[in-house]
Amino acid sequence: MRTSKSSKDSVEKILPSKGDLSDREELLKLASETAAEEQTLSDFGDMKYQEALDRYLENNPGKTEEDFLKAVIRIPLSGGGSAKIIKFSDYKDPAKKVKEIDLASLFTPGKTLASLTEDERDKVNLLLKMTLGSGSKD
């Protein structure tokens, strides 16, 4: 791994691992199969493939196994696989503009929120609720 002295997020030293590796052998057994287990998994995959092929051929008269493979193995790579990219600009309504809130027009110039009277604060809250919606909590 390459590190840069100028980067704040670079790794300067190797950190010690945690744990005593007592489960290592058991985890390796879980992650690997014997030849017999691999054959069983392969046979199961072959059986599932044959079932799917039979169903395809039954539902699509005149089609071949090659047609089945083309239908199953078609992965569109041009769009980044099966993930669909959503552009928010496609859903943006150009007629809706950013709401502008002009609180200063209700009060004298230079007045701060801290100096508002109770009545004036109620006006500000009402204006904000009407502008932003009633989803805000008091």
Side-chain angles (χ1 to χ4, degrees), residues 20-103:
D20 59 358
L21 298 178
S22 60
D23 296 336
R24 184 175 189 272
E25 292 300 321
E26 190 173 331
L27 291 173
L28 285 174
K29 286 179 187 175
L30 286 174
S32 61
E33 291 88 22
T34 63
E37 290 170 331
E38 282 188 31
Q39 184 62 45
T40 302
L41 289 172
S42 177
D43 292 345
F44 181 74
D46 292 344
M47 179 185 70
K48 288 295 184 183
Y49 172 83
Q50 190 61 45
E51 286 176 8
L53 174 62
D54 292 343
R55 245 183 290 126
Y56 177 82
L57 294 175
E58 183 178 311
N59 293 330
N60 299 290
K63 298 282 184 171
T64 64
E65 184 174 2
E66 188 174 319
D67 296 325
F68 172 71
L69 289 174
K70 286 178 183 176
V72 171
I73 302 178
R74 181 168 291 150
I75 301 172
L77 298 178
S78 63
S82 62
K84 182 177 179 184
I85 297 173
I86 298 172
K87 294 181 184 177
F88 290 108
S89 60
D90 294 344
Y91 297 96
K92 180 182 170 188
D93 186 1
K96 290 184 180 178
K97 296 192 178 190
V98 175
K99 295 179 182 179
E100 293 182 18
I101 302 173
D102 186 15
L103 295 176

